[in-house]
Amino acid sequence: MAANYANDAEISLANGVVSEKTNGVVIDVQNAAILQQANENGMTTCQASVSMTLPSEDLYQASQVQAANNQPSLQSRLAQDNIRINNNMLVDDAFTYIVGTQGGQVRTRIAGQPALITVVADVMAGSVFKTAMDEQRAQRAAERRATQNNDTTQTAPIRQPRTVTPVEPIRPTEPTPPPTINKPAESQNSSTANTQAAVVEPSKPATPKAVPKDETIDMVIIEDNSATY
């Protein structure tokens, strides 16, 4: 069944993967009973309650495969074949087998093709197929990412490092000093001091010329150089 799934999907299965899956199935036999006594060949038909416990992961993966292929669900198939399910344990209360002696040893052979084995085989095959498909998708995704990374590396320009010149820090602005008032030095000579005093002191008005006191004179004409005639 696993090979059929793989051939339909055109994928390959690793060697031993089916055996690893089936080795994880736990089988138990209870309530064995004889249905028919030994015949002329010494074969006795028996019946028992056989349970097969599957890993939960295998049941989940198989259900995904069945849904993708529009197959009946596991619950509906079990109900149709009179198989009970208890969590991840499948139980067939009417499992038939044959016991006989061959070459001095007791041999057991399954009669026909019980539905329990068919269902369990399909579940394990679906789980193997789903695992292989997931691994293949993951590998293809990794290859696509690697190809994209290579294309990006080849097309992207390689930036060469460049030397960065440090920028001189800006000095803070200093306040403008107030204007300096030059005062005359006390150690200057006397001629300089006289000159400054002459500049600072205001000019004195000219002294008016004296008028002669002579009562016999009718008029006196005084020439004044600063007057305008």
Side-chain angles (χ1 to χ4, degrees), residues 193-204:
N194 292 334
T195 303
Q196 290 176 351
V199 173
V200 174
E201 293 179 359
S203 59
K204 296 180 181 181

Side-chain angles (χ1 to χ4, degrees), residues 9-72:
E10 297 181 353
I11 64 172
S12 60
L13 298 178
N15 295 330
V17 64
V18 176
S19 299
E20 292 178 1
K21 285 289 186 181
T22 56
N23 289 337
V25 179
V26 179
I27 302 175
D28 186 29
V29 180
Q30 295 181 356
N31 303 325
I34 297 176
L35 290 181
Q36 185 178 358
Q37 295 297 330
N39 57 15
E40 56 188 19
N41 296 324
M43 307 296 294
T44 303
T45 303
C46 302
Q47 190 178 70
S49 175
V50 178
S51 64
M52 295 187 179
T53 304
L54 283 63
S56 300
E57 180 183 0
D58 295 331
L59 289 170
Y60 174 73
Q61 290 182 331
S63 64
Q64 289 185 317
V65 174
Q66 292 168 356
N69 294 330
N70 295 324
Q71 295 178 350

Side-chain angles (χ1 to χ4, degrees), residues 4 6 21 24 31 42 49 74 100 148 167 178 219:
N4 292 336
K21 285 289 186 181
N31 303 325
S49 175
L74 178 62
Q148 293 175 356
V167 180
M219 181 179 60

Side-chain angles (χ1 to χ4, degrees), residues 204-222:
K204 296 180 181 181
T207 303
K209 295 182 179 182
V211 178
K213 297 178 179 181
D214 190 352
E215 296 177 359
T216 62
I217 299 173
D218 294 333
M219 181 179 60
V220 177
I221 297 174
I222 300 174

Side-chain angles (χ1 to χ4, degrees), residues 172-178:
T173 304
E174 298 180 357
T176 304

Side-chain angles (χ1 to χ4, degrees), residues 4-229:
N4 292 336
Y5 280 125
N7 292 334
D8 293 340
E10 297 181 353
I11 64 172
S12 60
L13 298 178
N15 295 330
V17 64
V18 176
S19 299
E20 292 178 1
K21 285 289 186 181
T22 56
N23 289 337
V25 179
V26 179
I27 302 175
D28 186 29
V29 180
Q30 295 181 356
N31 303 325
I34 297 176
L35 290 181
Q36 185 178 358
Q37 295 297 330
N39 57 15
E40 56 188 19
N41 296 324
M43 307 296 294
T44 303
T45 303
C46 302
Q47 190 178 70
S49 175
V50 178
S51 64
M52 295 187 179
T53 304
L54 283 63
S56 300
E57 180 183 0
D58 295 331
L59 289 170
Y60 174 73
Q61 290 182 331
S63 64
Q64 289 185 317
V65 174
Q66 292 168 356
N69 294 330
N70 295 324
Q71 295 178 350
S73 64
L74 178 62
Q75 287 76 8
S76 62
R77 294 181 60 184
L78 295 178
Q80 183 179 357
D81 296 327
N82 296 322
I83 298 174
R84 295 186 293 110
I85 181 171
N86 183 12
N87 293 330
N88 55 335
M89 178 187 294
L90 309 182
V91 182
D92 184 357
D93 293 323
F95 193 92
T96 304
Y97 59 97
I98 298 174
V99 180
T101 303
Q102 183 178 6
Q105 295 182 351
V106 177
R107 302 290 183 180
T108 302
R109 181 172 57 88
I110 297 174
Q113 190 173 0
L116 178 62
I117 293 181
T118 302
V119 172
V120 171
D122 194 13
V123 169
M124 304 309 292
S127 178
V128 170
F129 171 71
K130 183 66 168 54
T131 302
M133 289 293 295
D134 292 343
E135 291 177 353
Q136 188 179 74
R137 291 192 185 98
Q139 182 178 0
R140 290 176 179 175
E143 292 175 354
R144 286 195 297 268
R145 288 193 296 268
T147 302
Q148 293 175 356
N149 293 337
N150 292 336
D151 294 341
T152 303
T153 303
Q154 294 175 1
T155 57
I158 301 176
R159 298 183 178 179
Q160 298 294 337
R162 58 181 181 179
T163 305
V164 179
T165 303
V167 180
E168 183 179 357
I170 301 175
R171 297 181 180 179
T173 304
E174 298 180 357
T176 304
T180 303
I181 300 175
N182 296 327
K183 296 181 179 180
E186 294 180 357
S187 61
Q188 292 178 344
N189 53 31
S190 59
S191 61
T192 304
N194 292 334
T195 303
Q196 290 176 351
V199 173
V200 174
E201 293 179 359
S203 59
K204 296 180 181 181
T207 303
K209 295 182 179 182
V211 178
K213 297 178 179 181
D214 190 352
E215 296 177 359
T216 62
I217 299 173
D218 294 333
M219 181 179 60
V220 177
I221 297 174
I222 300 174
E223 183 181 2
D224 189 356
N225 295 328
S226 61
T228 302
Y229 296 93

